Amino acid sequence: MAAQLEQALAKLKTTGVRMTPQRHAILSYLLDSMTHPTADDIYRSLESKFPNMSVATVYNNLKVFIESGLVRELTYGDSSSRFDADMTDHYHAVCDVCGKISDFEFPRLSDMEQAAAEQTGFRVGGYRLEVYGTCPACAESTKH
């Protein structure tokens, strides 16, 4: 994780983004997190270390990270956006009960991209794939 953080910091530096302690903490939290946190999750986790930091600070920094290509925003209808610092090609499984998001790997869907381009005339720049179901913890709790 330290190598990822160093690469992210170097990328921010080349784009002229000044590194503040709060920005560093938010980025570190995202890189360490596998939970796809909301901005509020990040704020609650860091507020004891940075009592003067606001939720707006978290949102503003997330916007900087998104624009720098370090973080992607995952939106799901009316629920809060989630943030993912894993910028590799991967997919998400979303629990219908608790909202937990888990990463999973699968080969790139090049045939799907090509079919979409051919059928729509779009120049496909990317896609997002999620599967929905019940996570193991929620499935276990409904058994009882």
Side-chain angles (χ1 to χ4, degrees):
M1 211 52 66
Q4 269 188 303
L5 180 59
E6 290 304 318
Q7 289 174 345
L9 294 173
K11 186 170 187 175
L12 288 171
K13 189 175 184 177
T14 63
T15 59
V17 175
R18 189 173 63 86
M19 188 51 54
T20 64
Q22 293 92 340
R23 189 168 283 156
H24 190 280
I26 294 166
L27 185 58
S28 294
Y29 181 85
L30 281 166
L31 289 169
D32 289 340
S33 176
M34 296 304 292
T35 63
H36 306 84
T38 64
D40 288 336
D41 293 335
I42 298 166
Y43 170 75
R44 283 192 299 275
S45 293
L46 299 176
E47 72 178 326
S48 63
K49 293 179 187 174
F50 300 96
N52 294 329
M53 183 172 67
S54 67
V55 177
T57 301
V58 174
Y59 276 106
N60 290 336
N61 281 292
L62 288 168
K63 183 178 177 190
V64 168
F65 298 150
I66 292 166
E67 290 169 353
S68 298
L70 296 174
V71 172
R72 70 178 61 143
E73 182 175 10
L74 306 174
T75 54
Y76 296 98
D78 292 340
S79 62
S80 297
S81 291
R82 304 293 196 93
F83 298 91
D84 189 356
D86 182 353
M87 297 301 286
T88 63
D89 289 332
H90 67 280
Y91 308 102
H92 297 108
V94 182
C95 181
D96 291 323
V97 179
C98 69
K100 176 183 179 178
I101 303 172
S102 297
D103 293 344
F104 70 95
E105 302 295 324
F106 193 79
R108 190 161 166 84
L109 301 175
S110 301
D111 291 345
M112 182 198 61
E113 289 180 74
Q114 183 176 349
E118 289 171 1
Q119 292 176 31
T120 64
F122 279 44
R123 208 174 317 152
V124 177
Y127 60 90
R128 189 171 100 180
L129 173 74
E130 293 109 14
V131 295
Y132 294 86
T134 307
C135 73
C138 290
E140 185 62 31
S141 71
T142 58
K143 284 184 183 178
H144 302 298

